[in-house]
Amino acid sequence: MTSTDASPAIVPSFGSEAASGRKLAIICSKGSLDMAYPGLILANAALGEGCEVHLFFTFWGFDMINKKTMGDLKFTMLGNTATHMPQGLGGLPGMTGMATSKLKKSIADLDVPEVPEFLEQIVASGGHLWACRMSADMNQLTKEDLYDDVEDIINAAQFIEMTEGAQLLFI
């Protein structure tokens, strides 16, 4: 006969800092459909845990907040070994469209919103969206070109200063 241990579970303590004092800073550097979601999902989860969240969009990540591109992000199999498909298939005509359509359907089947709606949800939950000054200048984009809820176009030093003490993720 085996006995069951009825003692309470041991929960490790990682300090006394409450969730409301935590900060998460996410640098979104890629604008393909498959690389847009990790940052958005992590931001949403952190907001749900009471963390202060800042997303900084730079380089190709600008596609996620550019009004002209944010609703039409693509997924390509080409060069992506995680698809477990022969790489030559990714270069065939129509494969990017097919792969994008399949990924969008898989995401929708999980009731995960598309990128523009996900950004809206993050902002409504208290998240902050920032655009990189250098990337904006390189692409000749102004604040008017960007998703309306982007708070400002700032430089890297400003982002580092405002997210002091934050956990930082680069995606």
Side-chain angles (χ1 to χ4, degrees), residues 13 21 23 41 53 59 61 64 70 72 80 83 86 91-92 125 130 133 143 160 166 170:
S13 172
K23 277 188 192 180
I41 290 167
V53 175
F59 288 95
M64 294 171 63
M70 65 188 296
D72 193 31
N80 187 341
T83 62
L92 294 174
S125 298
W130 306 98
R133 166 57 58 202
K143 194 159 181 316
I160 290 168
F170 183 88

Side-chain angles (χ1 to χ4, degrees), residues 16-95:
S16 61
E17 186 177 4
S20 63
R22 293 176 55 198
K23 277 188 192 180
L24 178 62
I26 303 172
I27 299 172
C28 300
S29 69
K30 296 173 180 65
S32 60
L33 185 62
D34 59 319
M35 293 306 295
Y37 279 96
L40 299 177
I41 290 167
L42 289 166
N44 189 56
L47 286 162
E49 292 298 316
C51 296
E52 179 180 329
V53 175
H54 297 267
L55 289 104
F56 186 68
F57 299 89
T58 188
F59 288 95
W60 309 127
F62 248 68
D63 282 351
M64 294 171 63
I65 56 169
N66 183 332
K67 289 177 183 174
K68 291 181 180 176
T69 57
M70 65 188 296
D72 193 31
L73 301 182
K74 306 280 188 229
F75 170 63
T76 181
M77 298 171 19
L78 198 57
N80 187 341
T81 58
T83 62
H84 306 288
M85 300 288 289
Q87 286 300 295
L89 290 178
L92 294 174
M95 290 304 284

Side-chain angles (χ1 to χ4, degrees), residues 111-123:
D111 290 327
V112 176
E114 292 195 22
V115 171
E117 291 78 24
F118 215 154
L119 289 169
E120 182 180 329
Q121 180 179 319
I122 287 167
V123 170

